Amino acid sequence: PTGGPTAGPTSDPTAGPTPGPTKSPSEAPTPRPTPHPTPRPTPRPTPRPAPYCGDSVCDWNEDPPSCRSDCAVTILRTSREARSLSNGVMFKVRAKEDLTVFALDIVDRHRGRNPNRCQVYTRPGDYVGLENDPRNWQPLFDDVVRILDGERFVLATDPPVPMSAWSVRSFYVWCAEGFYYAWASAEGFVFEADGSLEVYTGKSQAGGNGMFSGWIRYYS
């Protein structure tokens, strides 16, 4: 008989260990995404209030009749030595702040013979070299003065003359029968001033230098 199979025991499988991971996990935390800052809203400028009467500023559209609280009137008296007579005086002024000249007062020498016709002219800047050129002068006043000798008369400018701070403006006052002025030893120096306006010596039509002897009315 054929021999039976050898009943040998089947060998147990070898239990090998599970291999570890090839890389160790990183211990550093995963960086969080950087949050973008919320932009701050741009502040809008506060609008300036529109000019109005009572804001303590004499605006371009205001004058003493329309807003006396804002537009203060000043009357600057110039030379008090008005002993000479002339038909015309040319002079300049300089503003120290924004202001508006609206009248010039003279002392008339009219003696009753004829009505005294007076005229006022102005130009920006100095008058030197432009004394006899009518194209460079703006008329402000032209009327007949009917007062007695030595009386004061207001030559109201039409239109009023605005001046910016530190600007210079020239004036020429002429009267057919003449008016009083003061003689000056030199031309072009300050002989009267206040906190807002300087008045310079000028020229007299009578010949030589002269000071405008009167009053300058302005508001600021």
Side-chain angles (χ1 to χ4, degrees):
T2 305
T6 303
T10 304
S11 59
D12 296 330
T14 304
T18 302
T22 57
K23 288 186 178 181
S24 301
S26 174
E27 295 181 358
T30 304
R32 296 181 179 178
T34 304
H36 293 287
T38 303
R40 295 181 179 180
T42 302
R44 295 183 178 180
T46 304
R48 297 179 63 183
Y52 62 94
C53 182
D55 60 1
S56 300
V57 178
C58 188
D59 298 298
W60 64 270
N61 59 342
E62 295 176 336
D63 55 22
S66 65
C67 188
R68 188 170 297 276
S69 62
D70 290 352
C71 301
V73 174
T74 301
I75 303 177
L76 174 61
R77 184 174 184 179
T78 62
S79 174
R80 293 166 173 79
E81 301 176 0
R83 299 192 183 100
S84 303
L85 299 174
S86 177
N87 291 98
V89 173
M90 192 173 293
F91 65 99
K92 66 181 180 182
V93 299
R94 186 174 74 152
K96 298 179 183 180
E97 63 174 352
D98 294 350
L99 54 85
T100 300
V101 176
F102 68 94
L104 303 176
D105 297 16
I106 62 168
V107 178
D108 188 31
R109 73 160 298 242
H110 177 54
R111 300 182 183 280
R113 297 191 305 270
N114 296 299
N116 196 358
R117 182 185 179 188
C118 293
Q119 297 174 337
V120 179
Y121 299 85
T122 188
R123 61 160 281 103
D126 207 325
Y127 61 82
V128 176
L130 301 169
E131 295 90 338
N132 300 314
D133 190 348
R135 297 171 300 177
N136 287 282
W137 292 87
Q138 174 189 358
L140 297 176
F141 180 91
D142 187 354
D143 205 350
V144 174
V145 175
R146 298 182 182 277
I147 56 177
L148 298 177
D149 180 58
E151 291 185 344
R152 177 176 170 182
F153 189 81
V154 181
L155 309 178
T157 62
D158 184 17
V161 183
M163 296 183 64
S164 57
W166 305 114
S167 65
V168 173
R169 181 165 283 273
S170 298
F171 291 92
Y172 175 50
V173 182
W174 175 89
C175 291
E177 297 294 325
F179 59 96
Y180 288 97
Y181 82 105
W183 177 84
S185 60
E187 178 187 7
F189 68 90
V190 177
F191 73 93
E192 191 61 70
D194 61 11
S196 302
L197 193 66
E198 295 176 341
V199 188
Y200 291 74
T201 56
K203 292 182 176 180
S204 167
Q205 195 169 335
N209 305 311
M211 293 179 277
F212 174 70
S213 300
W215 294 261
I216 301 176
R217 298 175 183 244
Y218 67 87
Y219 59 84
S220 58

